[in-house]
Amino acid sequence: MSNAILMASGADIDIMVHGLISYEIFGQTCWITTTHVCLLILMIVLIGFMIAANRKIKKASEVPDGFQNVVELIVEMLDNMVKGVMGVNSAKFANYISTVFIFILMSNISGIMGLRPPTADYGVTFALGVMTFCLIHFNKFKHQHVSGVLKGLCDPWPIWAPINIISDLAVPVSLSLRLFANILSGTIIMALVYGLLGWIATFWPSVLHVYFDLFSGAIQTYVFCMLTMTYINQAIDSE
Amino acid sequence: MNISGNDLILACSAIGAGLAVIAGIGPGIGQGIAAGYAASAVGRNPGAKSDITSTMLLGQAVAETTGLYGLLVAILLLFVKPLTW
């Protein structure tokens, strides 16, 4: 990658996803990229945490202590968040939303640990957006049946159907682009700070990390989950 | 001085990227208005502070999207360089 900024500074600014290993499948060359590696590390951490939490909760004590406290706090907080938005429908979706919440939060703040955040790759966030899209439409067909969906599609008049379809398709795109662009902008700004300032950038960029990784990442996670829940709720009970 | 077409496109891409991030003005104004109203709402009803804060953050994050589209265009022009050959 040779571009204007790089040529001006001479430092190596690394914001791109790099391919590590290539393989051929059905005549297409595919790559194992840095995103895959970061995701794999993240998966191992999360699965380790999950197994530890499962072991701990299986033999839970009456008075929670230490690790059990943490696990109960996380689960209760996420349950309350889902219940606050979805109300009576929360029981079915609490698991999915909590999983997505923890996954996105961990990927967003993994920039602190020196990884390239996996959510700064459009492939990851688009998959999350498509999952939300599928959930919305599955629940729409389940709860409003085909007639209800068709009626919703031809909302004021049937001639508006193409516009309604476009606005339905815009949901996953805008959801995923919002998350992607926020995390990517944080990654780029941190890379610029480290790459261009050199030795000046010691110690004080931790403040920027707090904002771009922790704060921005947490807000975007919250927003993604909130919007997913709101859309699903709309699909379920818009009689 | 000899400027090839590719160089010209690269320079224009940089100018275009600068113009594209002007899109940040809109969300800035919108987020400021949302934060101002949230502050006045907290002043009127301090008990509902957490609800107001979460609603404000959600609204601001949605309003931010248009600005992020501008940023995305700028990033694509600078780093992916779709117009050069």
Side-chain angles (χ1 to χ4, degrees):
Chain A
M1 39 177 285
S2 62
N3 55 53
I5 296 176
L6 284 197
M7 280 188 276
S9 73
D12 63 323
I13 299 166
D14 189 17
I15 62 154
M16 292 298 186
V17 179
H18 296 290
L20 297 177
I21 307 161
S22 70
Y23 58 95
E24 295 253 335
I25 183 160
F26 302 125
Q28 299 276 333
T29 313
C30 300
W31 289 87
I32 299 283
T33 59
T34 42
T35 305
H36 290 105
V37 177
C38 292
L39 271 177
L40 214 62
I41 295 170
L42 210 69
M43 283 298 132
I44 290 168
V45 171
L46 282 178
I47 288 171
F49 182 79
M50 188 187 80
I51 290 170
N54 187 29
R55 282 235 179 107
K56 188 72 188 173
I57 292 298
K58 277 248 175 78
K59 45 183 192 307
S61 52
E62 192 66 36
V63 184
D65 60 319
F67 187 60
Q68 192 187 336
N69 252 334
V70 175
V71 175
E72 283 184 8
L73 186 80
I74 293 171
V75 171
E76 224 160 80
M77 201 189 68
L78 290 171
D79 272 355
N80 283 337
M81 188 188 81
V82 179
K83 210 172 274 172
V85 180
M86 303 194 79
V88 285
N89 307 319
S90 72
K92 262 191 276 179
F93 296 101
N95 283 336
Y96 171 74
I97 301 290
S98 306
T99 312
V100 168
F101 189 95
I102 293 174
F103 171 71
I104 298 177
L105 184 67
M106 286 304 288
S107 1
N108 287 355
I109 67 176
S110 67
I112 289 180
M113 272 77 88
L115 300 176
R116 189 181 186 283
T119 33
D121 186 335
Y122 192 55
V124 175
T125 55
F126 188 65
L128 290 167
V130 166
M131 267 149 72
T132 298
F133 181 78
C134 292
L135 263 181
I136 292 168
H137 285 271
F138 177 74
N139 282 299
K140 222 180 208 174
F141 277 103
K142 194 176 165 194
H143 291 271
Q144 300 178 15
H145 310 294
V146 179
S147 59
V149 174
L150 283 179
K151 216 200 283 177
L153 213 57
C154 313
D155 192 10
W157 308 293
I159 204 160
W160 283 63
I163 298 174
N164 283 329
I165 290 172
I166 290 172
S167 74
D168 276 353
L169 289 178
V171 166
V173 175
S174 77
L175 260 182
S176 53
L177 272 182
R178 182 177 303 127
L179 182 60
F180 165 70
N182 261 292
I183 307 305
L184 181 71
S185 64
T187 311
I188 289 177
I189 290 172
M190 291 318 294
L192 288 180
V193 165
Y194 283 124
L196 293 182
L197 296 184
W199 59 271
I200 307 171
T202 48
F203 190 67
W204 63 265
S206 58
V207 180
L208 295 180
H209 269 301
V210 169
Y211 179 77
F212 287 115
D213 287 336
L214 278 182
F215 181 72
S216 192
I219 294 281
Q220 288 312 314
T221 312
Y222 180 73
V223 167
F224 187 92
C225 291
M226 260 336 200
L227 288 177
T228 302
M229 286 189 284
T230 318
Y231 283 131
I232 293 175
N233 225 16
Q234 254 176 16
I236 289 178
D237 46 37
S238 63
E239 262 95 63
Chain B
M1 193 164 148
N2 211 354
I3 299 174
S4 70
N6 220 4
D7 290 344
L8 191 65
I9 288 173
L10 210 62
C12 289
S13 293
I15 294 170
L19 289 176
V21 285
I22 292 176
I25 291 175
I29 293 170
Q31 289 184 338
I33 289 171
Y37 278 116
S40 78
V42 172
R44 249 180 281 131
N45 185 5
K49 193 177 177 219
S50 63
D51 270 358
I52 291 169
T53 311
S54 65
T55 312
M56 180 194 77
L57 286 176
L58 190 67
Q60 284 184 331
V62 174
E64 210 180 1
T65 312
T66 48
L68 288 172
Y69 289 156
L71 175 76
L72 215 60
V73 170
I75 288 172
L76 288 180
L77 283 176
L78 276 184
F79 293 108
V80 185
K81 291 172 287 186
L83 302 178
T84 52
W85 60 85

